[in-house]
Amino acid sequence: MNIMREKLIIALAGAAAILLAYNLYNIFLVLPDEIAQGYMYRIIYFHVPAAWVGMIGFFAAMTLSVLYLAGGNFRYDSLAASIVEVSVVFSTVNLVTGSIWGRVQWGIWWTWDYRLTSQLVCVLTFAGYLMMRRAIDEPTQRARLSAALTIFGCFNVVIVWKSIEWFRNNHPGPVISFRTGGGKMDPAMEHMLFLNFLALTVVATALTLVRARQEATAREIDSLRRAAHV
Amino acid sequence: MTQAIELNQVWKFYGDYAALRDCTLSIQQGSCCALLGRNGAGKTTLLRILAGLTNFQRGAVSLFGEKPRAEKARRKSGFLGHGIGVYEDLSARENLHFFAGITGRSNIRALTDTWLERVGLTRSANMPVRQFSRGMRQRLALARTFIHSPKILLLDEPFTSLDDRAIAMLSELLAEARQGGATIVLSTHQLREALAIASHVALVENGRLRHAGERTQEMLDDPALLYRIYTELGTQ
Amino acid sequence: MTLLVQAFAVARKDLAIELRTRESLTAAGSFAIVILLLFSFTFDPFSDESNEFGGGLLWLSFAFAGALVFNRGFARELPNECLDTLLASPLSGAALVMGKAIANFAMLLVVELVSLIVFGIFYDVHWLSESAWLSVVFALATWGVAILGAVFGAFTVNLRLRELMLPVIIYPLMIPLLIAAIELTNAVLSRQPLSGQMQWIRVLIASDIGFTTLAWVLADTILVN
C-alpha cells in the first residue's frame, strides 16, 4: 500500500512537471498578448486556477470531514488537513497574484475587489484551522474539532462571498478583471486557463498525498510515544 | 438477573494508540464493582465511557439498554470525578437547585432542602461555595451526585482526598443506594476500602480487563492478590 | 421542549454567576468604551460622518468586547471539573451550547446598550427615535455573534492558548454578520428606509439559522472526545 502511494506521488509529480513545462512554454512563448492589458494578462493563468484549486480543496476537505465524523477513519482526517494546507497555499497564490495584477491595472497593491476580499477571508478562516490543529496534541480531539471547524468554515464561505459582493455593490471600487473591454475570452486563452487548472490540480494532489503521509506518520509516532509512557 | 451495565468488545483509541483493548464486562443490577489497576491502566477511561464523557471507537456499551450518551442513560446515572463539580460563585442551595433542575426532577426546592440537611450544610446553604472548607465542598459534591437518586453510580477514586466525615458519609450513601437497588462502579487505588464495599472486582491493566468476577474472601484477606496474579509484577 | 428548558437553566445559572462576579460585563463594557474613545482620534467626531461611520464603530467595539465575554463562557466550567459534571448529566450538548449562547446574548445586549448611550454622547448621534429598528437589527446580529461565541468557546475550552485561539478562529466567521449589522445600523442611523437593505436582513437571518443549526447538530461532537 505504501509502495503504491509512493509510486502514485512520483507519477503525479512527473505528470505535473510535464504539464507545467508545456503550459509555461505556451503561456510565455506561444500565446499572444491581450489587447488591453498586454503582457501582464498572463498572470490570469495562475491567478484564476489557483483560486479554483483552493476553493475546490476547501469543499473537498469539508466532505472528508463529514466522512471522518461519520466513520472515524483517520485517513479522512489526514487527507482533509492536507488538502486545507495545500488549499491555503494556493489561495495565497491567488491573493498575491491578484495584488500584483491590481498594482499593474489600478496602481494600488490592494483594490478591495470583492473576490479577492472574500478569498482573504477564506485564507484567514482556514489559517485559523491550521493554527488550531497545532494547538491540539491528542489526535482524536484534533480530528474531531478540525472536522467541525471545516464545516463551519465552508458554510461561512458561501455567505461571505455574497455578503462582500453586495457590500461592494453598495460601495463600488476597483474590480480586477481580465475583460476590461467586455466580451468573451479568446478560445485559445480559455483553453490554456483550463489546462493550467489541470496542471495546478495535479500539483495540489501530489502535495496533498505527501502531506497526508506525514500526518499518518506523526500519528504513529504519537501512539508509540503514548505506549512508551504508560 | 438484569445487567445494568454491559461492555462488549470495547476499544478506545487516542489516535492510533489503544487506551482500552477489547474490554468485555457485565455488571449486574444492584452490585458494586471495584475497578482496580495502576495509574494509566485505563480505569478512568472506562469510567468516563460509561458516564458518556468519552467516545469509544469499537464495540458496544449500554446502561440499562441505552447508549451512554443517551439522555435516558444519563438521567439514571450519577458521576463523581476527580473534581467536585460545583460552582464556586454560587451558594450550596443554588448549586443543588441547578443540578437537580437539569436532571429533570420535580419538587426541586424540597429535594434541595432535604439534601442540604442530609450532608449537614443547612446552616451554610446560602454561603457561596468559595467560602466553604474542603470538607464542606466534598459533602456538597456528594449531595450533588446523589440528589436525583441515580440507579447507576460512577465514581472515580471517590475516597481520595476525602476527610473522615466525608468518607463515612459516602460509605453510608453507597450502602443506602445499594439497598435501593443501585449499581455502583468505582475506580480506586484504596484496595481495602473498595474491597470492603465491593461485591465484584475488575482489574484493568494496559487497557485490558485482566480479571472480572466476584470479590472473594481471599481478596479481602490479601488485597494485593489480584495484582500479583494478573499483572506484570506477578511474572517477576 | 426539553432543550429550551435546559438551555434557559444553563443561561440563568451563568447570568446569576455573572451578576455576582461581574467579571465579563465590567471588562467588556470598559473595553467597548475604550474602543469608542480610541476611534474618536481617527476621524472628526463632530462631523456628519458620525452617522455613516457609526455602524462600523459600534459593531467593531461589540465584536472585540464580545471576545472577553465568549472567553469566560466555557472557561467558567473548568474549575472543579464542572464541564465534566454537566456533560455527564442529562443536559444535552446542544442545550449547553444554546444556554451559553443565550447568556452571551443577554450580556452582549447590556454591553451594546451601554455602548450606544456612550456613543450617542461622544459622537452627538441621536438614535433614540430609531430604537425600534435598532432593536431589530441588534437582536438579529447579536444572536449570530452570541451563538458563534458559544460554539467557539466550546471549541477552545480545552485548547492550549485558548484566549489567543478564540479570536483568531471566530473573527473571520463573524464577517458576514458584521457587514450586515454595520450596513443596517448605518442605514438606521442615517434615517434611510430599510426596504432598500433587505439583503442584509436576509444575510443576518441566514447566518443566524445556519450557525444555530450547525451548533445544535455539532455540539456533542465538539464537546465530547
Side-chain angles (χ1 to χ4, degrees), chain C:
Chain C
M1 195 178 169
T2 320
L3 183 122
L4 278 177
V5 168
Q6 288 179 336
F8 275 104
V10 169
R12 257 198 313 275
K13 181 261 299 171
D14 273 14
L15 290 171
I17 293 175
E18 184 53 39
L19 278 171
R20 202 157 290 170
T21 61
R22 270 173 257 202
E23 293 167 334
S24 305
L25 280 175
T26 317
S30 312
F31 192 32
I33 293 171
V34 165
I35 295 171
L36 288 173
L37 167 66
L38 287 171
F39 269 115
S40 74
F41 303 122
T42 61
F43 65 95
D44 179 5
F46 297 111
S47 71
D48 293 334
E49 289 171 327
S50 295
N51 281 340
E52 288 171 30
F53 283 112
L57 222 150
L58 283 168
W59 281 98
L60 287 182
S61 313
F62 302 155
F64 293 138
L68 300 180
V69 171
F70 307 148
N71 257 320
R72 284 304 299 154
F74 270 90
R76 198 175 278 131
E77 306 297 338
L78 290 179
N80 300 332
E81 295 187 3
C82 288
L83 184 58
D84 277 353
T85 308
L86 285 180
L87 291 174
S89 77
L91 192 72
S92 68
L96 179 55
V97 171
M98 289 301 149
K100 293 290 177 186
I102 294 169
N104 284 348
F105 181 73
M107 286 190 266
L108 277 173
L109 282 181
V110 171
V111 171
E112 286 166 9
L113 181 60
V114 169
S115 303
L116 257 180
I117 294 169
V118 171
F119 168 73
I121 295 168
F122 278 4
Y123 295 89
D124 191 31
V125 172
H126 307 281
W127 53 266
L128 209 55
S129 55
E130 307 305 316
S131 46
W133 281 116
L134 275 179
S135 305
V136 172
V137 171
F138 275 41
L140 284 174
T142 305
W143 175 254
V145 170
I147 190 76
L148 277 179
V151 167
F152 289 95
F155 254 88
T156 56
V157 67
N158 286 318
L159 295 191
R160 282 204 308 272
L161 311 171
R162 177 181 67 242
E163 287 88 1
L164 250 129
M165 290 306 313
L166 181 58
V168 163
I169 295 173
I170 206 175
Y171 286 130
L173 294 171
M174 234 189 253
I175 285 173
L177 283 165
L178 290 177
I179 295 175
I182 289 168
E183 290 289 283
L184 284 166
T185 305
N186 282 341
V188 170
L189 292 179
S190 308
R191 313 289 196 273
Q192 290 171 28
L194 282 191
S195 52
Q197 309 287 339
M198 287 314 290
Q199 74 268 35
W200 300 120
I201 299 277
R202 283 200 290 274
V203 167
L204 287 182
I205 293 174
S207 301
D208 285 356
I209 293 174
F211 287 136
T212 305
T213 308
L214 284 176
W216 182 37
V217 168
L218 293 172
D220 260 19
T221 302
I222 294 164
L223 287 165
V224 181
N225 191 19

Side-chain angles (χ1 to χ4, degrees), chain B residues 21-36:
Chain B
R21 302 157 196 265
D22 203 13
C23 293
T24 299
L25 178 66
S26 290
I27 302 174
Q28 282 175 6
Q29 188 177 351
S31 64
C32 175
C33 180
L35 281 180
L36 309 175

Side-chain angles (χ1 to χ4, degrees), chain A residues 137 139 216-230, chain B residues 13-19 21:
Chain A
D137 292 328
T217 308
R219 212 171 47 245
E220 200 181 322
I221 293 171
D222 173 83
S223 83
L224 291 169
R225 200 179 285 137
R226 282 177 199 271
H229 285 161
V230 165
Chain B
F13 288 91
Y14 290 110
D16 292 343
Y17 172 72
R21 302 157 196 265

Side-chain angles (χ1 to χ4, degrees), chain B residues 11 19-23 41 203-211:
Chain B
W11 291 72
L20 285 182
R21 302 157 196 265
D22 203 13
C23 293
L203 177 69
V204 185
E205 201 220 350
N206 277 341
R208 288 192 194 279
L209 270 169
R210 291 285 182 200
H211 170 85

Side-chain angles (χ1 to χ4, degrees), chain A residues 42-43 47 73 80 94 126 142 152 162 167-168 173 213:
Chain A
R42 286 170 169 77
I43 206 167
H47 175 72
N73 188 336
N94 170 250
F126 288 97
R142 187 170 59 222
F152 268 93
K162 265 323 198 186
F167 182 79
R168 277 289 150 229
R213 191 180 53 187

